[in-house]
Amino acid sequence: MWQAVVSGPQGTNLSPEESAVVSLPQEPDLHIFAAIVENKFGVLARIAGLFSRRGFNIFSLAVAPTADPSYSRITIVVDVHNTDVNQIAKQLDKLVNVINISELHPSDSLERELMLARVGAVDLEAVVDVISEYGGEVLDHADGEAIVSVSAHPDRLDRCERQLRPFGLHVLQRTGRIALRALDADEPAVGMTA
Amino acid sequence: MELTGAQALMRSLEMSGVEVMFGLPGGAILPVYDPVLDSPIRHVLVRHEQGAGHMAQGYAHVTGKPGVAMVTSGPAATNIVTPLCDAFMDSIPMVVVTGQVAMSAIGSDAFQECDTTGITMAVTKHNYLVTDPADIPRIVAEAFHIATTGRPGPVLIDLPKDVSNATMDWYWPDGVDLPGYRPRREIDPAAIAEAARLIRTAERPVIYAGGGLLKARAAEALRELAEMCEIHVVTTLMARGVFPDRHPLCLGMPGMHGNYTAVTAMQQADLLINLGARFDDRVTGNPAHFAPGAKVIHVDIDPAEHGKVRVPDVPIAGDAKVAIEALIEVLRPGDGSAVTDAMADRSVWKSTVSGWQEQYPLSYDQPSSGHPLKPQYVVEQLRDHTPDDTIVVAGVGQHQMWASQFWQFDHPYTWVNSGGLGTMGFAVPAAIGAKVGRPDRTVWAIDGDGCFQMTAQELISASAENIPVKVGILNNAYLGMVRQWQELFYAERYSEVYLSADHPDYVGWAEAMGCVGIRVESAEEVVPAITKANAVNDRPVVIDFRVDTEEKVYPMVPAGGSNDDIILGPEGDADAALKGSAPS
């Protein structure tokens, strides 16, 4: 997976120099899908297999049971650069275990992603200065290293990650984004006839 | 009532209406083969698991009922992957049961273990690993529901041996509860109205009839629509027979080896009415150059087909028969006048199309006597000397194209072949399955010598089970279609395509398998051999037709090319064809 700056039609709040940090062969065109699926073994493999064989490019994927544990909610971020968005939704909808699928438009959705990172922290205060701007916290600190936790909008997380890099980013784990439709947003308009 | 999982499986198949199943036992499926002895379901024992799958497909093709196959785990499961993929590509309803090692052994690389659900995930509409015998009736009911509704397809049930042996309290579910599966789609009246508007105003409309029409049992509705609106119909490889070839509006098969008129009419149409077809690359050629001036109405029960290859102007998601009937309803005038009164003038188009038909018929040249025997001649003689409703089954390659081109299909469900996957070896087992499904019909497999060698052993199954199919091998001693491509596109550098006409000795092989074997080497011998074969009804017949090695399938649109660049063949004048008097 890329270390990519998210920029594209979903609209980000990055300054020009921020979004120019990483150069990619092509600009990704990221779309977010939320799928409710039956919480059964093999369902994730079906979805991953579908993406692979249809040539759809998963950027990130997060999955966990819903409040009703017989279902899971999956947030899939897809690079649709060479793919028809509707094809992705329609092909996913054909999977028997997929209850419904909708596209979440960033303008009317709330997105979050969690990052855990092991960073160089000889100067712990400087690290704290960076992450506190993003509401992060230090979980562990020893021998000139710290483990920090930051939860934020993925674009802000990208920025935080870049700011931590000079300290030495020894281990980085991000969860991939999760998203919910905002309370005042209209219902999805993805071509699902369900 | 307490049943073992194995008994519950057989009982569930019976409850699902299964009359015939095709299979071969082995270790992990052994428990289920015991109650097979007590079941009213007929079991046809195959010689190779691929045969079981293709038999189930052939059965499904001609009956419309789901084909059922049962095999054991590991290599048996992998052997049936090809038929699953074939059925997935051609939307054939099929339920396959595979044995699996015991639950406790799964993941341990046990003997004859493989990850069957993992392997078949990409080639089934859905699949199941059964973990509790109490789930068996529910899963079987769901499997048949999924296989036969919406866009049909194959469903696999993987049954571990300990689940077969464990007991459960028998029940049969009232229905199925699949919240994520919604095969029924209501036809959008606004889309029908818009489609009707396009049909009324089109000057050069063509109905592009696909295999989905056969699945929807929509042959009569199609005919009513075509006749009412006087619109020409092309029938794709998967749809041969859905509209009678003898009908004056029928243009026959389009595509890479379609006839000139079918290909060119689509290419120059201003409206394509796609009913249950999927813009396969063998029909469209290079999609960027396919039917460039046509608006598209696309009826498909699978909305994912809309825009997958060609973005339709009017997508209609739903059952093709319901959609056609809705179209007819909207198009039919209330005042009893002819529908065509309300339509654009198509007289120029009609005369252009009939001009093409006259100028560019399918052709070949059979010398009046002796050698070389032309494969097209064999197909024509088979056509003319068998009952009108004979079921024809083909493998994949030149013989398949000649069969589709030179047979006259006048009835639906008389043509069985592997379209999407292009599975060599399909014909013999699929013909056996077709004959099991329609024992009242004459079933002829038109096969190639290369194909025949892949699955011929199933004729032993046919002899043993008294299934009298007939096989005509168009034996040109080559992997003929590959040879044709090497001749045309690889400077006649023939690489690994020669098979020999004599090895194997097809007549001797047929006889060894309990069939009647006949060899035909000249045109004069063709009809007597067919007559003799048709008279045999107590065992299979194989005719080894020694045909011209050099003969090629024409017309031909080179792969990836534009359908405007159709090659008519040595007898045709391609340049003249390309300059054909097409309306702008």
Side-chain angles (χ1 to χ4, degrees):
Chain A
M1 196 167 296
W2 318 307
Q3 298 276 316
V5 172
V6 179
S7 61
Q10 75 270 37
T12 58
N13 299 318
L14 302 180
S15 66
E17 69 268 20
E18 282 171 331
S19 54
V21 167
V22 181
S23 65
L24 291 166
Q26 324 175 294
E27 286 290 297
D29 182 2
L30 300 182
H31 285 238
I32 310 165
F33 294 93
I36 304 296
V37 305
E38 292 182 80
N39 186 8
K40 291 180 173 172
F41 64 79
V43 174
L44 195 56
R46 289 178 200 282
I47 290 171
L50 172 72
F51 273 77
S52 158
R53 70 178 175 271
R54 295 276 175 192
F56 306 153
N57 195 356
I58 298 179
F59 184 84
S60 76
L61 184 149
V63 52
T66 63
D68 177 349
S70 53
Y71 300 104
S72 288
R73 184 183 167 94
I74 300 182
T75 308
I76 314 168
V77 181
V78 190
D79 179 8
V80 303
H81 201 90
N82 294 311
T83 316
D84 171 24
V85 175
N86 279 315
Q87 264 297 303
I88 297 171
K90 287 170 171 178
Q91 294 291 352
L92 271 174
D93 194 52
K94 281 165 71 170
L95 295 177
V96 171
N97 299 125
V98 173
I99 307 296
N100 64 52
I101 166 107
S102 54
E103 185 177 1
L104 298 178
H105 295 281
S107 56
D108 53 15
S109 301
L110 299 170
E111 302 168 50
R112 284 295 178 273
E113 183 173 357
L114 174 65
M115 171 176 83
L116 293 180
R118 199 169 114 186
V119 297
V122 177
D123 182 355
L124 182 62
E125 269 184 45
V127 171
V128 170
D129 277 352
V130 168
I131 64 171
S132 58
E133 188 190 330
Y134 302 94
E137 56 181 325
V138 176
L139 301 182
D140 198 5
H141 176 235
D143 302 331
E145 275 192 317
I147 293 178
V148 300
S149 161
V150 184
S151 162
H153 187 282
D155 299 344
R156 281 172 53 77
L157 216 50
D158 290 339
R159 192 159 50 183
C160 178
E161 183 188 320
R162 281 196 305 279
Q163 288 180 263
L164 288 173
R165 204 166 279 278
F167 294 94
L169 206 44
H170 301 154
V171 180
L172 174 70
Q173 172 70 67
R174 292 176 58 160
T175 58
R177 81 184 66 191
I178 55 174
L180 291 180
R181 191 176 309 287
L183 295 176
D184 59 352
D186 293 332
E187 274 307 292
V190 169
M192 289 291 80
T193 50
Chain B
M1 180 175 48
E2 190 170 80
L3 296 182
T4 64
Q7 291 167 330
L9 179 83
M10 290 307 297
R11 189 74 189 273
S12 299
L13 294 178
E14 290 162 21
M15 294 299 289
S16 301
V18 176
E19 293 168 354
V20 185
M21 59 198 294
F22 306 90
L24 192 138
I29 198 72
L30 260 172
V32 185
Y33 267 86
D34 188 74
V36 163
L37 285 173
D38 307 319
S39 173
I41 296 174
R42 177 184 180 188
H43 182 281
V44 175
L45 174 63
V46 302
R47 267 47 179 181
H48 185 287
E49 291 87 355
Q50 184 187 358
H54 292 322
M55 286 181 203
Q57 290 185 271
Y59 177 89
H61 260 284
V62 300
T63 63
K65 293 187 266 189
V68 178
M70 183 162 75
V71 301
T72 192
S73 63
T78 57
N79 279 342
I80 210 161
V81 169
T82 299
L84 285 169
C85 191
D86 195 286
F88 192 53
M89 292 284 269
D90 286 347
S91 306
I92 307 301
M94 179 157 83
V95 174
V96 170
V97 179
T98 47
Q100 181 56 276
V101 300
M103 293 282 291
S104 56
I106 288 179
S108 72
D109 303 321
F111 177 65
Q112 292 194 330
E113 182 190 358
C114 75
D115 176 11
T116 303
T117 49
I119 288 170
T120 59
M121 203 170 269
V123 297
T124 53
K125 191 172 170 188
H126 194 55
N127 63 17
Y128 293 90
L129 173 65
V130 187
T131 57
D132 182 342
D135 291 338
I136 289 172
R138 173 183 62 79
I139 285 174
V140 171
E142 287 178 4
F144 279 88
H145 179 67
I146 292 168
T148 55
T149 51
R151 180 178 184 168
V155 179
L156 179 134
I157 301 171
D158 198 26
L159 185 61
K161 192 172 188 178
D162 55 338
V163 178
S164 296
N165 283 327
T167 57
M168 51 85 72
D169 285 323
W170 169 255
Y171 67 97
W172 183 245
D174 293 332
V176 295
D177 178 25
L178 293 164
Y181 180 64
R182 294 167 300 273
R184 283 186 61 86
R185 293 176 191 277
E186 299 303 323
I187 302 287
D188 175 9
I192 294 291
E194 177 60 9
R197 191 187 68 77
L198 290 183
I199 290 172
R200 284 197 193 95
T201 54
E203 292 174 3
R204 304 185 303 280
V206 173
I207 292 175
Y208 166 20
L213 289 168
L214 288 166
K215 273 74 175 188
R217 321 298 288 182
E220 280 179 33
L222 167 67
R223 186 166 176 157
E224 187 178 351
L225 177 70
E227 289 179 346
M228 187 175 95
C229 303
E230 294 181 26
I231 298 176
H232 293 110
V233 179
V234 300
T235 52
T236 68
L237 183 66
M238 292 308 297
R240 304 288 288 131
V242 76
F243 192 72
D245 277 334
R246 65 162 179 259
H247 196 288
L249 289 170
C250 191
L251 303 183
M253 183 175 75
M256 180 176 273
H257 294 296
N259 72 76
Y260 180 85
T261 305
V263 171
T264 308
M266 288 183 97
Q267 200 62 3
Q268 304 201 356
D270 67 347
L271 177 65
L272 284 181
I273 306 161
N274 176 336
L275 305 174
R278 58 180 176 86
F279 295 105
D280 183 87
D281 58 271
R282 257 38 185 178
V283 168
T284 63
N286 185 337
H289 301 290
F290 173 67
K295 286 197 176 344
V296 170
I297 298 166
H298 190 178
V299 175
D300 205 299
I301 200 158
D302 178 0
E305 288 303 329
H306 295 140
K308 188 185 78 179
V309 176
R310 172 89 171 223
V311 177
D313 297 274
V314 183
I316 299 175
D319 179 83
K321 186 174 177 214
V322 176
I324 294 170
E325 285 168 352
L327 264 176
I328 290 169
E329 192 63 33
V330 171
L331 283 164
R332 182 180 285 131
D335 60 4
S337 62
V339 180
T340 44
D341 291 352
M343 297 207 180
D345 178 16
R346 295 171 188 155
S347 52
V348 176
W349 172 244
K350 283 177 186 165
S351 77
T352 302
V353 170
S354 53
W356 289 331
Q357 287 181 303
E358 268 175 46
Q359 201 176 349
Y360 307 111
L362 290 170
S363 66
Y364 68 95
D365 182 28
Q366 175 63 58
S368 54
S369 70
H371 302 278
L373 175 58
K374 294 293 183 181
Q376 301 96 324
Y377 177 79
V378 174
V379 173
E380 288 196 322
Q381 296 311 307
L382 276 167
R383 175 195 71 198
D384 294 343
H385 293 88
T386 52
D388 183 43
D389 60 358
T390 294
I391 292 168
V392 187
V393 187
V396 170
Q398 286 182 314
H399 70 276
Q400 174 193 29
M401 293 297 107
W402 286 318
S404 178
Q405 289 176 335
F406 288 92
W407 200 273
Q408 178 169 302
F409 294 98
D410 285 331
H411 305 279
Y413 314 108
T414 55
W415 169 241
V416 181
N417 88 130
S418 165
L421 192 63
T423 305
M424 285 180 67
F426 180 81
V428 167
I432 294 167
K435 182 67 177 172
V436 169
R438 294 303 305 259
D440 55 319
R441 296 281 190 85
T442 301
V443 176
W444 268 98
I446 295 178
D447 213 358
D449 45 327
C451 279
F452 184 81
Q453 290 190 46
M454 289 194 176
T455 51
Q457 82 287 338
E458 295 310 333
L459 285 171
I460 307 165
S461 315
S463 292
E465 300 265 349
N466 207 5
I467 304 164
V469 294
K470 304 174 201 312
V471 183
I473 305 170
L474 304 183
N475 176 7
N476 61 4
Y478 274 91
L479 296 168
M481 188 61 92
V482 186
R483 185 194 184 282
Q484 173 167 341
W485 284 49
Q486 289 178 346
E487 179 179 334
L488 296 176
F489 308 121
Y490 291 86
E492 300 181 51
R493 286 164 55 82
Y494 299 114
S495 176
E496 304 300 325
V497 286
Y498 178 64
L499 297 177
S500 157
D502 301 313
H503 298 114
D505 168 1
Y506 292 96
V507 171
W509 192 9
E511 287 170 353
M513 292 189 287
C515 311
V516 174
I518 303 169
R519 178 160 296 125
V520 170
E521 293 179 291
S522 67
E524 293 81 6
E525 297 165 30
V526 170
V527 173
I530 294 168
T531 306
K532 184 178 169 191
N534 280 334
V536 176
N537 277 311
D538 61 346
R539 72 195 72 183
V541 184
V542 176
I543 306 181
D544 172 18
F545 291 105
R546 299 292 181 91
V547 300
D548 185 1
T549 289
E550 309 260 315
E551 192 64 23
K552 286 176 282 298
V553 181
Y554 287 115
M556 178 172 194
V557 178
S562 162
N563 284 351
D564 290 326
D565 300 332
I566 186 168
I567 302 166
L568 287 175
E571 282 94 35
D573 178 356
D575 286 341
L578 291 172
K579 292 180 201 128
S581 56
S584 58

